[in-house]
Amino acid sequence: TAPGQQLRALFYALPPGESSFRTVEEVPDYVQKSIPFFIVFIGLEFAVSWVQKRKPSGRINDGISSLSLGILSRLPDVLFRSVDLISYIYIWNNYRLFELPWDSPWTWYLTLLGVDFAYYCFHRISHEVNILWAAHQVHHSSEDYNLFTALRQSVLQKYTSWIFNLPMALFIPPSVFAVHLQFNLLYQFWIHTEVITKLGPLEWILNTPSHHRVHHGRNPYCIDKNYGGTLIIWDRIFGTFEAEDAKVVYGLTHPVNSFDPIMLQLRPLAHIWNTFWATPGFCNKLSVIFKGPGWGPGKPRLGLPEEIPEITGKEVPFNPSVPGYLNCYAVVHSAVMVDLFIELGSVMMLSQATTLLRIAFIILSLTSFGLLMENRPTAGILEIIRCLVFVGLYRLGYIRSQFSSLNYACEV
């Protein structure tokens, strides 16, 4: 895809004539190709925020944490095709009732609505079912709200979301679905920002930064509101819409207080495990898994609204003190990891062993950065080991920058 097309894909602005394909194999990887635009828009947001408020749009530690979680969430896709497409194509090949034309604009627009409605349903259930919330909460764990937050995704969430798309596989071609699955995700990137206020009449139809700020808030009025992906009409229809009002305080009602990407993914599951065994009664144990994250014995399915912590306006984000040079160090090394990740996704015909080695090294690096940002005592030792492993793998040719001119700089 040309850069202009890729830019418009970010805003769901590629019309049917430019984004309809006969087969899934022809569908571009719009998400992977958007990574350079993510970087440009993050820089632009930083500049606009500085002009507007004389302060940056976020913090280095939180930004690196979000970036790490974004990379982590995409690593399984390097090894195998997404479970969304595998399951969808299976149903299409074996159980489809009829076949809508892949090149019809009507099919394109119907799929837009179908994918967005399926996302609304899945997103809402992910907030109302504890085991699904354990995966989705990763996206809400940032106490900042900026374009970095959009990258903060769960590794596990995609392994349950696929179920909600399957009804479309009975009649909508996989190639059309594959386009809209990506567009729906890409659209949600630019709405994670505070530098855009209101968008006038568009607020009635589209999900906007204002609507999505409410969704990310931990204020009592924000909880379980505005689930839409691209369109806000589903929230208006089903009674889950809330307009932005009091200043939104972001993050979880009970903050995780960690920048470690592995910890952020797994701690909620450990909490469910411990609560499951500590809760008496078989039915209550099942309720721990399948009712809301605020549920407890004797409470309604979604918990008690009065138990949501009140917002005082004096909330202080988790922000361990780290020397300035360490922040600079982490930023430079995170940039190297982004380079290696992009290169990993773009290189074909790597042996499975080399691919797994690269993935393992990226996971090691992201974990080390998280511990550095928390100023953990063991972080320095782990980082020295990581750097030695990096130089060794680089010398042996298992890791390479996509920019050959930077090979020596990477080693330094």
Side-chain angles (χ1 to χ4, degrees), residues 225-285:
K225 300 295 182 183
N226 299 1
Y227 295 114
T230 300
L231 303 171
I232 204 66
I233 57 173
W234 314 117
D235 290 285
R236 295 186 183 279
I237 291 170
F238 297 109
T240 52
F241 175 75
E242 189 71 45
E244 188 175 19
D245 186 13
K247 180 173 172 55
V248 177
V249 177
Y250 303 106
L252 302 168
T253 55
H254 300 87
V256 179
N257 292 343
S258 177
F259 297 124
D260 178 354
I262 305 298
M263 179 68 74
L264 286 164
Q265 299 278 354
L266 298 182
R267 184 183 285 178
L269 290 171
H271 176 71
I272 290 176
W273 175 264
N274 293 332
T275 307
F276 177 88
W277 290 111
T279 303
F282 180 71
C283 289
N284 282 341
K285 287 184 186 298

Side-chain angles (χ1 to χ4, degrees), residues 209-229:
S210 175
H211 297 331
H212 206 58
R213 284 194 288 271
V214 171
H215 180 70
H216 273 260
R218 67 190 210 221
N219 313 52
Y221 87 91
C222 298
I223 302 299
D224 295 342
K225 300 295 182 183
N226 299 1
Y227 295 114

Side-chain angles (χ1 to χ4, degrees), residues 297-407:
K299 297 179 185 177
R301 181 175 68 89
L302 299 180
L304 297 168
E306 57 266 28
E307 290 185 352
I308 299 169
E310 286 294 330
I311 295 301
T312 64
K314 299 178 182 178
E315 287 74 18
V316 178
F318 177 63
N319 196 29
S321 179
V322 173
Y325 71 84
L326 197 56
N327 277 326
C328 293
Y329 176 91
V331 167
V332 170
H333 280 258
S334 296
V336 174
M337 278 308 106
V338 171
D339 174 32
L340 295 180
F341 169 68
I342 295 174
E343 201 264 348
L344 177 64
S346 60
V347 174
M348 301 294 180
M349 303 305 292
L350 287 176
S351 72
Q352 192 168 27
T354 301
T355 301
L356 289 172
L357 199 59
R358 291 186 180 195
I359 288 173
F361 178 72
I362 289 174
I363 293 172
L364 171 65
S365 300
L366 301 180
T367 303
S368 183
F369 299 158
L371 298 183
L372 283 173
M373 293 294 92
E374 292 181 28
N375 222 351
R376 295 272 195 94
T378 56
I381 297 170
L382 181 62
E383 182 60 14
I384 290 169
I385 294 170
R386 187 191 76 86
C387 287
L388 291 173
V389 170
F390 177 84
V391 173
L393 292 176
Y394 220 83
R395 287 283 178 180
L396 293 171
Y398 288 107
I399 288 179
R400 274 287 171 265
S401 168
Q402 60 177 328
F403 305 106
S404 56
S405 58
L406 291 179
N407 283 340

Side-chain angles (χ1 to χ4, degrees), residues 119-135:
Y119 177 82
Y120 171 87
C121 295
F122 167 70
H123 194 185
R124 181 169 178 175
I125 288 176
S126 293
H127 280 252
E128 297 184 358
V129 174
N130 202 15
I131 192 68
L132 299 182
W133 171 248

Side-chain angles (χ1 to χ4, degrees), residues 83-99:
V83 67
D84 289 287
L85 281 177
I86 291 172
S87 57
Y88 193 96
I89 291 170
Y90 177 80
I91 297 298
W92 170 261
N93 288 338
N94 293 283
Y95 300 106
R96 71 176 179 266
L97 302 176
F98 56 92
E99 184 173 337

